[in-house]
Amino acid sequence: GENVEQHPSTLSVQEGDSAVIKCTYSDSASNYFPWYKQELGKGPQLIIDIRSNVGEKKDQRIAVTLNKTAKHFSLHITETQPEDSAVYFCAASRRGGGNKLTFGTGTQLKVEL
Amino acid sequence: SAVISQKPSRDICQRGTSLTIQCQVDSQVTMMFWYRQQPGQSLTLIATANQGSEATYESGFVIDKFPISRPNLTFSTLTVSNMSPEDSSIYLCSVERDAGYGYTFGSGTRLTVV
């Protein structure tokens, strides 16, 4: 089955700096890669996703890049703000293969003033 | 995107008892997913529930421990049976937003077993 590794487990940045979280996946048939933000006491919220037919996607301050050859994808957050502090999870799935999401281990992002 | 309501939002239960968690969606969905998130950990898929068929369980999860019902296209329940402290976790339901993409999660049920 799919295995998703995520790094780093914790990340501390100064407000206004950029943050990068990286994930690798094992199943070359995976074709959908969402990122979730989970704030304390809440369920995960989808913040951005990418499909395997594109290499990059951007939405305001967040962007995701995908390298299918290397089987890794990354989340980039620019101009970080204190409200970006949360746990971020990457995930991978193979649409049409049960559509099951396999999650990474999570990154605790702390944006310091 | 679909709006998911989960009940209860939290509960404290005695060991040996069972708890049924409800998941209500505001639109019809084909597949519903149940996840477990142990304290400080990532999300692990328990089972996939399709309306009109038996749920499909992931390795390490069995129907006797986590029976699931899916009576219609907007509702599902997960029961945590014969609970022990190791079952203390957040249980989340999830649905597809767009045929294999954009999964939405409920706010979760925070279960503590004492």
Side-chain angles (χ1 to χ4, degrees):
Chain A
E2 175 66 277
N3 181 52
V4 178
E5 296 187 355
Q6 183 172 345
H7 300 280
S9 58
T10 61
L11 179 59
S12 184
V13 299
Q14 294 293 314
E15 183 180 10
D17 287 350
S18 296
V20 180
I21 303 171
K22 299 181 179 181
C23 289
T24 60
Y25 60 98
S26 62
D27 186 355
S28 57
S30 288
N31 53 19
Y32 175 62
F33 307 93
W35 286 89
Y36 286 86
K37 176 183 180 182
Q38 187 174 29
E39 297 175 311
L40 194 62
K42 297 183 179 180
Q45 297 294 314
L46 178 67
I47 56 171
I48 196 169
D49 57 9
I50 191 168
R51 306 182 189 187
S52 59
N53 58 346
V54 297
E56 184 174 359
K57 183 177 179 181
K58 189 174 182 179
D59 182 4
Q60 298 183 2
R61 295 189 297 109
I62 59 174
V64 57
T65 58
L66 172 65
N67 183 326
K68 288 191 297 182
T69 302
K71 290 190 285 188
H72 67 70
F73 55 112
S74 300
L75 177 71
H76 304 253
I77 306 174
T78 59
E79 302 174 19
T80 53
Q81 302 167 3
E83 51 265 39
D84 294 329
S85 296
V87 179
Y88 291 81
F89 291 98
C90 63
S93 76
R94 178 156 52 102
R95 183 168 177 269
N99 300 348
K100 298 181 294 186
L101 282 176
T102 301
F103 282 83
T105 49
T107 297
Q108 174 75 62
L109 174 64
K110 183 177 181 181
V111 180
E112 299 177 333
L113 297 172
Chain B
S1 61
V3 176
I4 300 174
S5 299
Q6 248 186 270
K7 293 180 181 180
S9 58
R10 61 178 66 243
D11 208 341
I12 300 174
C13 299
Q14 296 292 321
R15 67 175 67 203
T17 63
S18 298
L19 176 72
T20 296
I21 301 167
Q22 299 180 5
C23 181
Q24 178 75 54
V25 189
D26 69 345
S27 58
Q28 294 184 341
V29 293
T30 302
M31 301 174 77
M32 296 181 75
F33 305 87
W34 286 97
Y35 286 84
R36 181 176 73 181
Q37 186 175 27
Q38 295 178 302
Q41 302 297 313
S42 186
L43 288 81
T44 301
L45 182 64
I46 297 172
T48 303
N50 288 335
Q51 193 268 336
S53 63
E54 293 289 326
T56 302
Y57 288 82
E58 297 300 301
S59 176
F61 297 96
V62 295
I63 188 171
D64 289 347
K65 176 67 176 178
F66 298 101
I68 288 171
S69 77
R70 183 77 202 274
N72 57 51
L73 291 173
T74 63
F75 187 78
S76 179
T77 67
L78 169 76
T79 298
V80 186
S81 302
N82 188 25
M83 289 184 285
S84 67
E86 293 71 35
D87 294 319
S88 297
S89 295
I90 300 171
Y91 292 86
L92 298 131
C93 71
S94 175
V95 302
E96 296 175 320
R97 189 173 64 184
D98 180 24
Y101 301 118
Y103 300 83
T104 301
F105 283 82
S107 54
T109 296
R110 284 148 188 81
L111 171 63
T112 302
V113 183
V114 297

